[in-house]
């Protein structure tokens, strides 16, 4: 009935519209597509959890085992042999084999197998050769415990799964795209996998993380055990070769030097970074030289490379394997547990097989000894039939077989009849007994191993680690990453212009007034004469409102930029003064900074990047009985509030003009800077160790173990070398004390010096290859202790305490210094310094400062009893929170 109904419906449709023909393929789609999807999932793309191989990989390994004679085989021959198990395409088999070979674990390669670092492909399969590695022979194959199945044409037997006794899938990684699902299992470290397997066998917890053959630096914070939704951030290893050259020595996994260089060149073309030249010197190891134009900051360029190129990539793992012919989504921890448990079971099967073999050998050796020692072979001389021979031997053995472990079979007797006369004549009873004793020891050992299977498995993994772990140490460095703010590291690749009268800003207004250099991802903040404010994206030409009074690049996280403003409320209302910061706003939304009355106008406006507070002079119009027509206003007396604050009344009378009398200094507290050792970066968020409080030109002092000292401004984009031993706020008058070993003179020297050239790297020890820095101190009065080497036949000299301040005066940074001692030194160490009272630095001008976190205070003091009235506004700044509308993105 249902089929008739569908048939009638089809006829109606064709009658109503002859131009449309509907063909129903529901059944066809349901059956054929499901079969196809199942085939791709199970037989092509996804590896099995039992051995970690996809079917084509398993067939390649079995073919290599079939052909293995210790010599190299042409890959083309192996490919052809593999096709006997399944008609894969020869190109796909060769590609799969090259991928296995490049992982340098199972295949011993010879010839050009390509380069994972440069992306170069392998030579043709007829030119390259391969054989199984010793590791593969050891852990992958064991025909006696392998389950077999017929090949596609029934002519051969192929393994269902290979008896892999190692977490191979996690060591090599795996990737595949099937129908409706995919898998991406990242490679892990060989040694760490073995250690984790041992921990699992001992009942301890373990954690494993990826390790990539291309090395690099990885952040595994969101790895999530390799499950769906996790990610691993991978960065290239970039260091500064000199002030104009960066060197990339390690690259992210899934990239190569060619794709990496292409991404750098594209970022350079788009103006995100500035690069003069790139050299690729990669051979066995990665070496990419990035030459920078003079004047470009290497630290910012490194961050920009991470932000805009493939020097940082994010890899999303997805643990999907085949178990019992079904897809299984599982984390790497469970994969390792499953592999380790499977290895234990395979080891058990192998031991049980050995036990059967040893017991069988013991049984026949015992029978042979009885047969020859008791001359039972003479009992068959007069027998004329085979049955009589068998019965005679059986009868002769019966008195001597009580100690045997199983009954004698016809097969046992047949084997006895096959013993040659020559062997009987040379039979040595003592040697036979020794062989039996040795077999009994082997049987006892196997039984012991079976009884202590976990200990046996731990010993097995330990052996693998000792035999194959050398040279397989971790390549990828695990480290927490700081997030790179693209807006802070992008190169200013365009120029911003403004037409103040008409109200246009943009990068194409080249005939109008130049504002500043900017990047194409910057936001621009604009203030107009009528007290309006807007934040908008950089574009070629944008209308923001007529009569612009200030335009600049906007940073939404900037708490230190303070705007000072005097405005008139309405056409004839009183004038107000206010100081405010701008942080959370909605792009392309217009904000009113006045009280909102029509006719409001701004008398005075200034933008202050460090919270400066200037002094202005206010002039009134001479109207009526106004006596005081001029006075000064100091913005330092005005509390910083939110942008919606109404402000304090300056005057109710008409203002004629306002002039700047005196430029101000910052009213914000010095900025606190911390150093987070986990990510090796500076921050202003309180993470890590507090370095100090920094004003405008305060600098950081950096000293490396290599004897290099420099001072830098505390920019949050600064990067630091791994051998940094001193990082602190630099006090210019505070001397630096050092004891170093001079490689040329082979003596220890002491020196004290001041840094005279800010921002310049200087070597303060001799440049001899054997010279080394022993101790460094930035204390005012350091004390060192010298321990001397004991000379033969003499008593050891007492330790010597050296007051470095008294030992040597302050000299130039390039001075050799004074020789510490002529005696041989065993060790030099720093003791507690002498007490010293640091002189307090008095500020140039006594001024009340404001903490950045207290900018939105509610209370507002009176500025002047005679000229300013107390603000009546409640200072509610509801726009500081993130807002949403249809005009632009939120920030």
């Amino acid at each position: 009935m249902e089929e008739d109904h569908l048939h009638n419906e089809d006829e109606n449709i064709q009658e109503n519209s002859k131009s449309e023909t509907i063909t129903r393929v529901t059944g066809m789609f349901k059956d054929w597509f499901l079969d196809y999807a199942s085939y791709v999932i199970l037989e092509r793309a996804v590896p099995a959890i039992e051995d970690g191989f996809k079917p084509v990989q398993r067939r390649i390994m079995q073919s290599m085992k079939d052909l293995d004679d210790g010599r190299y085989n042409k890959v083309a021959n192996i490919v052809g042999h593999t096709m006997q198990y399944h008609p894969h395409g020869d190109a796909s088999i060769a590609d799969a084999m090259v991928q296995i070979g490049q992982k340098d674990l199972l295949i011993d390669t010879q010839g050009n197998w390509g380069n994972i670092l440069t992306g170069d492909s392998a030579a043709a399969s007829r030119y390259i050769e391969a054989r199984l590695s010793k590791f593969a022979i050891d852990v992958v194959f064991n025909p006696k415990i392998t389950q077999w199945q017929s090949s596609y044409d029934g002519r051969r037997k192929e393994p269902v799964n290979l008896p892999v006794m190692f977490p191979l899938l996690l060591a090599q990684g795996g990737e595949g795209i099937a129908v409706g699902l995919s898998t991406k299992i990242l490679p892990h470290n060989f040694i760490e996998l073995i250690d984790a397997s041992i921990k699992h066998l001992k009942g301890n917890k373990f954690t494993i993380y990826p390790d990539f053959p291309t090395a690099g630096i990885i952040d595994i914070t969101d790895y999530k055990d390799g499950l769906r939704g996790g990610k691993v951030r991978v960065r290239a290893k970039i260091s500064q070769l000199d002030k104009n050259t960066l060197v990339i020595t390690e690259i992210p996994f899934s990239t190569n030097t060619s794709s990496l260089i292409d991404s750098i060149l594209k970022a350079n073309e788009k103006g995100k970074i500035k690069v003069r030249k790139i050299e690729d010197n990669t051979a066995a190891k990665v070496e990419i030289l990035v030459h920078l134009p003079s004047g470009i900051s290497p630290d910012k360029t490194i961050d920009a490379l991470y932000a805009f190129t493939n020097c940082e990539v994010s890899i999303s793992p997805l643990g999907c394997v085949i178990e019992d012919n079904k897809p299984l989504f599982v984390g790497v921890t469970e994969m390792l547990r499953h592999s380790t448990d499977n290895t234990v079971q395979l080891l058990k099967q192998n031991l049980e097989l050995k036990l059967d073999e040893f017991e069988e050998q013991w049984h026949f050796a015992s029978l042979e000894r009885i047969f020859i020692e008791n001359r039972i072979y003479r009992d068959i001389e007069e027998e004329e039939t085979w049955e009589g021979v068998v019965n005679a031997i059986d009868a002769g053995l019966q008195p001597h077989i009580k100690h045997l472990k199983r009954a004698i079979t016809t097969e046992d007797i047949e084997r006895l009849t096959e013993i040659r006369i020559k062997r009987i004549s040379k039979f040595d009873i003592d040697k036979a007994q020794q062989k039996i004793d040795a077999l009994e020891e082997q049987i006892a050992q196997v039984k012991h191993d079976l009884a202590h299977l976990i200990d046996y498995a731990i010993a097995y993994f330990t052996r693998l680690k000792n035999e194959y772990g050398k040279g397989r140490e971790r390549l990828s460095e695990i480290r927490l990453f700081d997030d790179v703010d693209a807006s802070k590291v992008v190169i200013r690749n365009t120029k911003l212009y403004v037409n103040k009268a008409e109200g246009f800003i943009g990068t194409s207004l080249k005939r109008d007034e130049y504002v500043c250099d900017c990047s194409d991802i910057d936001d621009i903040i604009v203030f107009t004469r009528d007290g309006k404010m807007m934040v908008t994206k950089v574009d070629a030409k944008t209308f923001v409102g007529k009569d612009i009074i200030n335009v600049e690049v906007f940073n939404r996280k900037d708490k230190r930029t303070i705007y000072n403003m005097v405005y008139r409320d309405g056409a004839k209302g009183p004038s107000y003064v206010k100081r405010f910061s701008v942080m959370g706003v909605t792009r392309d939304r217009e904000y009113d900074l006045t009280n909102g009355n029509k006719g409001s106008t701004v008398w005075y406006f200034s933008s202050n990047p460090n919270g400066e507070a200037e002094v202005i002079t206010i002039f009134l119009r001479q109207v009526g009985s106004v006596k005081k027509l001029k006075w000064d206003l100091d913005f330092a007396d005005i509390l910083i509030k939110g942008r919606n604050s109404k402000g304090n009344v300056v005057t109710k009378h008409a203002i004629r003009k306002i002039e700047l009398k005196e430029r101000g200094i910052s009213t914000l507290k010095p900025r606190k800077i911390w150093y987070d050792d986990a990510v090796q970066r500076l921050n202003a968020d309180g993470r890590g160790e507090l370095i100090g409080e920094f004003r405008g030109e305060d600098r950081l002092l950096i000293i490396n173990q290599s004897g290099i000292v420099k001072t830098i401004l505390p920019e949050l984009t600064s990067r630091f070398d791994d051998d940094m031993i001193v990082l602190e706020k630099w006090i210019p008058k505070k001397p630096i004390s050092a004891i170093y070993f001079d490689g040329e003179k082979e003596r220890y020297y002491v020196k004290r010096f001041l840094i005279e050239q800010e921002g310049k790297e200087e070597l303060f020890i001799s440049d001899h290859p054997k010279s080394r820095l022993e101790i460094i101190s930035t204390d005012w009065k350091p004390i060192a202790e010298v321990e001397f080497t004991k000379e033969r036949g003499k008593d050891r000299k007492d330790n010597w305490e050296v007051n470095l301040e008294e030992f040597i005066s302050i000299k130039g940074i390039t001075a050799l210094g004074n020789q510490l001692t002529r005696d041989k030194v065993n060790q030099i160490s720093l003791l507690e310094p002498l007490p010293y009272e640091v002189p307090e630095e008095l500020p140039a001008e006594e001024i009340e400062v404001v903490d950045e976190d207290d900018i939105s205070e509610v209370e507002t003091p009176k500025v002047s009893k005679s000229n300013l009235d107390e603000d009546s506004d409640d200072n509610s700044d509801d726009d500081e929170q993130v807002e949403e509308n249809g005009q632009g993105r939120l920030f």
Side-chain angles (χ1 to χ4, degrees), residues 587-708:
R587 184 181 291 154
D588 295 326
R589 173 182 170 182
E590 186 178 78
Y591 292 88
D592 195 340
L593 302 176
T594 70
N595 204 26
N597 293 319
K598 186 177 181 180
S600 297
T601 187
V602 177
W603 289 114
Y604 178 86
F605 186 90
S606 67
S607 174
N608 307 281
N610 201 33
E612 292 83 358
E614 65 270 32
V615 178
I616 58 175
T617 302
I618 299 175
F619 298 87
L620 300 183
R621 296 185 183 277
Q622 189 167 6
V623 178
S625 60
V626 178
K627 295 180 179 179
K628 192 172 182 179
L629 302 176
K630 169 187 173 184
W631 71 90
D632 293 340
L633 187 152
D634 190 346
F635 277 100
D637 296 332
I638 308 297
L639 200 63
I640 300 170
K641 304 173 71 175
R643 65 169 180 270
N644 279 359
S645 170
K646 182 178 181 180
N648 294 354
V649 176
V650 177
T651 179
K652 296 180 180 179
H653 303 291
I655 294 178
R656 179 167 61 88
K657 67 176 181 177
I658 296 178
E659 292 181 352
L660 175 65
K661 180 179 181 181
E662 180 183 328
R663 296 196 177 277
I665 62 174
S666 175
T667 57
L668 300 180
K669 286 185 178 180
R671 186 170 61 160
K672 292 183 179 180
I673 299 292
W674 285 263
Y675 176 71
D676 188 350
D677 188 58
V679 297
Q680 298 181 336
R681 300 300 290 271
L682 300 175
N683 68 86
D685 306 323
R687 292 180 283 106
E689 179 183 356
L690 179 64
I691 301 298
E693 299 181 351
F694 292 80
R695 294 184 183 271
E697 295 301 317
D698 287 345
R699 288 178 169 263
L700 284 170
L701 172 66
I702 300 173
I703 304 177
N704 295 339
Q705 185 63 54
S706 55
I708 294 176

Side-chain angles (χ1 to χ4, degrees), residues 23-43:
T23 303
R24 301 190 179 277
V25 293
T26 307
M28 183 188 303
F29 180 85
K30 180 179 179 181
D31 296 337
W32 292 1
F33 184 79
L34 186 60
D35 291 344
Y36 168 70
S38 301
Y39 172 76
V40 174
I41 293 170
L42 300 178
E43 297 295 329

Side-chain angles (χ1 to χ4, degrees), residues 483-681:
D483 293 324
V484 177
D485 188 344
S487 63
K488 291 184 179 180
V489 298
V490 67
I491 295 295
R492 305 298 185 189
N493 56 1
T494 187
K495 297 181 183 297
L496 180 67
Y497 301 91
V498 61
N499 185 326
K500 292 184 175 179
E502 298 297 326
F504 288 96
I505 63 170
T507 58
S508 63
L509 308 176
K510 296 183 180 181
R511 295 183 178 180
D512 293 309
E513 180 184 345
Y514 166 77
V515 178
C516 63
D517 288 350
C518 64
S519 70
D520 51 12
I521 66 171
D522 279 337
D523 290 306
I524 305 300
I525 188 168
V526 182
F527 299 88
T528 57
R529 180 67 63 187
D530 57 358
K532 302 296 194 300
M533 178 194 79
M534 179 187 292
V535 174
T536 187
K537 190 77 173 175
V538 169
D539 206 343
K541 185 177 181 180
T542 305
F543 178 76
V544 293
K546 291 186 177 182
D547 211 0
I548 297 172
I549 58 174
N550 188 74
V551 56
E552 59 189 34
V553 175
F554 175 67
N555 179 9
R556 68 185 178 91
K557 295 181 180 179
D558 184 9
K559 295 181 179 180
R560 298 187 69 85
T561 297
I562 304 300
Y563 301 99
N564 299 337
M565 174 177 165
V566 178
Y567 73 94
R568 184 187 66 207
D569 180 26
K572 297 182 179 180
S575 295
Y576 293 85
V577 60
K578 62 190 290 187
R579 299 184 73 202
F580 60 94
S581 62
V582 177
M583 285 173 282
V585 293
T586 303
R587 184 181 291 154
D588 295 326
R589 173 182 170 182
E590 186 178 78
Y591 292 88
D592 195 340
L593 302 176
T594 70
N595 204 26
N597 293 319
K598 186 177 181 180
S600 297
T601 187
V602 177
W603 289 114
Y604 178 86
F605 186 90
S606 67
S607 174
N608 307 281
N610 201 33
E612 292 83 358
E614 65 270 32
V615 178
I616 58 175
T617 302
I618 299 175
F619 298 87
L620 300 183
R621 296 185 183 277
Q622 189 167 6
V623 178
S625 60
V626 178
K627 295 180 179 179
K628 192 172 182 179
L629 302 176
K630 169 187 173 184
W631 71 90
D632 293 340
L633 187 152
D634 190 346
F635 277 100
D637 296 332
I638 308 297
L639 200 63
I640 300 170
K641 304 173 71 175
R643 65 169 180 270
N644 279 359
S645 170
K646 182 178 181 180
N648 294 354
V649 176
V650 177
T651 179
K652 296 180 180 179
H653 303 291
I655 294 178
R656 179 167 61 88
K657 67 176 181 177
I658 296 178
E659 292 181 352
L660 175 65
K661 180 179 181 181
E662 180 183 328
R663 296 196 177 277
I665 62 174
S666 175
T667 57
L668 300 180
K669 286 185 178 180
R671 186 170 61 160
K672 292 183 179 180
I673 299 292
W674 285 263
Y675 176 71
D676 188 350
D677 188 58
V679 297
Q680 298 181 336
R681 300 300 290 271

Side-chain angles (χ1 to χ4, degrees), residues 13 99 185 230 375 422 506 530 542 583 626 667 805 864 873:
I13 293 174
Q99 289 180 15
I185 300 165
R375 302 186 180 187
K422 184 178 180 180
D530 57 358
T542 305
M583 285 173 282
V626 178
T667 57
E805 182 190 30
S864 170
D873 186 64

Side-chain angles (χ1 to χ4, degrees), residues 172-190:
Q172 293 192 127
E175 186 172 357
I177 300 175
V179 179
L181 60 82
S182 63
T183 183
K184 192 178 186 71
I185 300 165
L186 303 183
H188 295 69
N189 182 260
F190 182 92

